[in-house]
Amino acid sequence: MKEDIKEILFDEETLRNKIKEIGKQISEDYAGRDLILIGVLKGSVMFMSDLMKEISIYCCMDFMAVSSYGDSTQTSGVVRILKDLDYHIEGKDILIVEDIIDSGITLKYLIEYLKGRKPNSVEIACLLNKPDRRKVDIDVKYLGFDVPDAFLVGYGLDYAEKYRNLPYIGVLKEYVYK
Ligand code: IMP
Ligand code: MG
């Protein structure tokens, strides 16, 4: 698996330190509020579990699964809900936890969808951002790192469902998907 990685962008320690920072900020900002973290399956799973451990206030977690990619590295532009929330979110403070923003289409859709359930607030915590690829405007309250326009895997991010178990985030060699 390692031989398919061209370059490591963020190693375990770098990720840990950044996530600590974000968790601390969230704990301050949401103190005394009714926080629900909503992870977008499956890419956000590692980020979600590490982030949650760095949050020192009461919070709940829920998950949604959406599909916009299939096995390709290009977004289809169509978002489908594969798994909806377990909980009612009316009046709650919602933080969507996502691995990476590319075109922004997935998150834009999710925000509008969740706002329809009348939460008190909806914000985004996203580990990675590809600013050069954005197609729709999105406000990200908590961001880990900006990244270049390359296909990244590891720490939850996949190519065709593989590489999620790499403990770091790296650039996938092009021969794998071209
Ligand atoms: P968007 O709707 O174009 O913003 O796509 C966001 C989703 O695409 C993310 O949740 C990821 O699942 C996936 N994605 C985008 N870029 C990458 C990447 O470099 N590696 C792995 N998955 C990616
Ligand atoms: Mg995703």
Side-chain angles (χ1 to χ4, degrees):
M1 187 167 55
K2 275 196 315 215
E3 59 277 12
D4 298 339
I5 303 304
K6 186 153 92 182
E7 183 195 353
I8 295 179
L9 290 188
F10 307 107
D11 63 13
E12 291 180 75
E13 196 193 347
T14 309
L15 291 170
R16 202 180 313 119
N17 289 338
K18 178 60 79 176
I19 291 167
K20 256 194 183 117
E21 239 175 71
I22 298 174
K24 188 164 175 274
Q25 192 61 52
I26 291 172
S27 307
E28 286 173 24
D29 294 349
Y30 285 89
R33 292 167 68 183
D34 219 346
L35 176 62
I36 303 183
L37 304 176
I38 297 181
V40 186
L41 293 171
K42 304 167 193 135
S44 71
V45 162
M46 313 270 175
F47 179 40
M48 176 70 138
S49 64
D50 286 342
L51 178 63
M52 212 174 179
K53 285 181 280 182
E54 300 297 341
I55 295 177
S56 57
I57 58 169
Y58 295 110
C59 61
C60 305
M61 86 170 136
D62 204 343
F63 290 96
M64 288 186 73
V66 297
S67 136
S68 59
Y69 266 64
D71 272 0
S72 129
T73 58
Q74 290 294 309
T75 184
S76 65
V78 180
V79 180
R80 234 166 16 111
I81 292 183
L82 305 176
K83 183 221 168 292
D84 209 329
L85 296 175
D86 292 339
Y87 300 129
H88 292 290
I89 59 168
E90 190 171 336
K92 311 276 186 191
D93 291 297
I94 300 306
L95 193 52
I96 302 173
V97 179
E98 176 63 308
D99 51 0
I100 185 166
I101 314 182
D102 187 80
S103 68
I105 289 169
T106 308
L107 277 174
K108 183 92 184 167
Y109 177 86
L110 269 183
I111 286 174
E112 294 310 318
Y113 180 80
L114 293 173
K115 277 186 176 163
R117 306 257 177 109
K118 309 256 183 308
N120 185 52
S121 66
V122 183
E123 300 286 356
I124 295 169
C126 192
L127 185 60
L128 306 173
N129 175 40
K130 287 181 180 169
D132 300 343
R133 302 258 309 169
R134 190 76 80 261
K135 286 190 189 140
V136 291
D137 212 25
I138 296 264
D139 246 2
V140 182
K141 189 164 186 191
Y142 306 99
L143 174 68
F145 306 96
D146 280 332
V147 293
D149 179 12
F151 202 78
L152 309 181
V153 292
Y155 195 72
L157 292 161
D158 73 307
Y159 171 67
E161 296 298 329
K162 289 186 282 200
Y163 305 100
R164 294 193 199 275
N165 52 320
L166 288 171
Y168 50 78
I169 291 169
V171 178
L172 191 62
K173 284 184 185 164
E174 292 193 351
Y175 73 77
V176 178
Y177 60 92
K178 283 206 170 134

